[in-house]
Amino acid sequence: QVKLVESGGGLVQVGGSLRLSCAVSGRIFSTYAMGWFRQAPGKEREFVAAITWSGRNTYYADSLKGRFTISRDNAKNTVYLQMNSLKPEDTAVYYCALDPVVNKLRAGVADSWGQGTQVTVSS
């Protein structure tokens, strides 16, 4: 059974940085595309970023390009989300997700989800 565990969330000031991690077990990590999503209070879950199994291709929500970077380490079964220049509107629960098809992740569909980690950006 697959398990995704996010970590690295917390409270950060405007302009600060955080790096989220998502450790995956129970699947052959290197064969799956990975994605990050977020859900702010009162809002729908939205796509943040995705990365192909090889790490060769990455995709971002247009509004986040240049501030967020997704990466993966297949030897560690872990995907990361580096978040820079954080803004109050980045406050949300961040979820990682896994699917064989990266375009499904880009469309908001995933085979498995983590439990989420809270990111709060204070002004």
Side-chain angles (χ1 to χ4, degrees):
Q1 186 172 355
V2 66
K3 186 175 182 181
L4 292 77
V5 180
E6 301 96 334
S7 61
L11 177 65
V12 63
Q13 291 187 334
V14 169
S17 298
L18 280 175
R19 188 176 81 153
L20 305 183
S21 300
C22 174
V24 179
S25 60
R27 292 281 177 91
I28 303 175
F29 178 75
S30 60
T31 63
Y32 283 80
M34 296 296 301
W36 286 97
F37 297 79
R38 68 184 185 184
Q39 186 167 20
K43 295 188 176 181
E44 293 186 356
R45 184 174 62 202
E46 65 174 346
F47 170 76
V48 172
I51 187 167
T52 53
W53 67 269
S54 66
R56 186 170 300 143
N57 298 102
T58 57
Y59 306 89
Y60 297 92
D62 288 342
S63 61
L64 300 176
K65 285 180 181 177
R67 293 196 300 122
F68 287 18
T69 303
I70 189 171
S71 61
R72 66 189 294 160
D73 185 338
N74 286 347
K76 295 182 178 180
N77 287 5
T78 302
V79 63
Y80 305 97
L81 184 69
Q82 178 67 43
M83 306 186 293
N84 298 327
S85 303
L86 284 163
K87 305 175 182 180
E89 52 264 41
D90 294 319
T91 295
V93 178
Y94 284 72
Y95 299 89
C96 68
L98 168 156
D99 197 273
V101 182
V102 70
N103 285 339
K104 288 177 63 181
L105 291 171
R106 296 173 71 191
V109 177
D111 185 51
S112 298
W113 297 86
Q115 83 289 348
T117 186
Q118 176 70 46
V119 171
T120 302
V121 184
S122 68
S123 55

